[in-house]
Amino acid sequence: MMGGDSIMSSTTSQSDPVVHIPLYSYDGAYDAVVRSMVQQLLACLASYFAHGNTYDVLITTNDWRTLEVLIDYQAKTRYRFDLRLVSRDELRRAFHTDESRLSDMTCMRTTFSKFFPIMTRQCDAILHLDCDTLFLRKVDLSPLFVSAIGLVDGNPFGRSPLWRPTESQADFLGIAETVKPRARWLNSGVFAVQGSGFELCQREVTQ
């Protein structure tokens, strides 16, 4: 949920961010599965706009079923958000991949859905949100955009050990060795990218 999580960041100027909420389906996804995911997305949008949030919203999907529901939903609610249907060809070009990866459920739900607008640099500053995110109030996203990549500590009250990045993770996130651990686990369902963060993500995702 957006509203109570503490924020940690990993050196760029503030630009008006776009909130990206993807909903991608894997090959052969049943109607019932898509319907359940769409319901979560609609709840996310309703909570976002109900609390008066005004950041631009971009929704991307690779499924016509999702697109049709969102077109109808927008017509009924008059909520302002942009819709984009992403083709398989666009995904192949953006990620320099082949059909085998496009047919993989994990790749589609995690890598392709989360990083498509980052790989194609749809705007100058992007906040990614998973479709099951709920907003509890109007939010200020600026703390997530004080650096190239902004991450959320999803469990500040847990008892598990503090997360210590590996050498490669520290290099990717630009974390100095002298920085003390602060987070117990990072919520990959919410992260922000701007400036040099695009190049970092593009390089690592391509590898």
Side-chain angles (χ1 to χ4, degrees):
M1 294 186 180
M2 291 292 287
D5 289 334
S6 64
I7 295 174
M8 56 178 294
S9 299
S10 127
T11 320
T12 55
S13 60
Q14 174 73 20
S15 177
D16 290 337
V18 170
V19 176
H20 174 237
I21 312 172
L23 205 170
Y24 286 52
S25 302
Y26 55 89
D27 286 353
Y30 293 113
D31 288 347
V33 174
V34 176
R35 185 181 306 114
S36 175
M37 295 170 63
V38 170
Q39 288 172 343
Q40 294 180 59
L41 175 56
L42 297 184
C44 173
L45 287 172
S47 69
Y48 178 84
F49 289 108
H51 292 288
N53 289 290
T54 58
Y55 296 101
D56 290 341
V57 175
L58 169 65
I59 301 174
T60 63
T61 183
N62 66 336
D63 195 317
W64 276 100
R65 294 170 293 184
T66 299
L67 185 72
E68 290 173 350
V69 172
L70 289 170
I71 290 173
D72 289 341
Y73 179 73
Q74 188 173 52
K76 292 177 180 178
T77 62
R78 301 297 179 184
Y79 289 152
R80 293 182 64 255
F81 56 86
D82 292 324
L83 284 171
R84 168 126 187 227
L85 181 67
V86 181
S87 69
R88 297 177 80 87
D89 285 342
E90 288 178 298
L91 290 173
R92 274 195 295 267
R93 289 194 300 270
F95 292 93
H96 309 288
T97 190
D98 55 32
E99 278 294 324
S100 65
R101 296 290 187 185
L102 294 182
S103 301
D104 185 277
M105 179 176 66
T106 301
C107 287
M108 187 62 75
R109 282 189 167 181
T110 57
T111 305
F112 298 151
S113 64
K114 294 175 187 285
F115 289 95
F116 175 76
I118 295 169
M119 298 298 286
T120 55
R121 195 149 190 168
Q122 297 289 303
C123 53
D124 292 333
I126 296 175
L127 175 76
H128 164 81
L129 291 180
D130 280 357
C131 67
D132 59 354
T133 303
L134 290 177
F135 288 81
L136 304 180
R137 62 174 181 262
K138 188 173 184 178
V139 294
D140 175 13
L141 299 182
S142 59
L144 278 168
F145 288 95
V146 297
S147 59
I149 297 175
L151 304 172
V152 172
D153 177 1
N155 188 14
F157 305 110
R159 296 181 179 179
S160 58
L162 294 177
W163 173 71
R164 292 180 179 273
T166 64
E167 184 176 339
S168 62
Q169 289 171 336
D171 178 66
F172 171 66
L173 296 172
I175 300 174
E177 294 182 2
T178 56
V179 174
K180 294 182 179 180
R182 295 177 53 193
R184 288 179 168 79
W185 63 274
L186 298 178
N187 180 3
S188 63
V190 181
F191 62 87
V193 178
Q194 66 174 344
S196 61
F198 283 94
E199 288 73 30
L200 286 169
C201 290
Q202 289 165 355
R203 183 180 70 241
E204 295 299 321
V205 169
T206 299
Q207 290 180 358

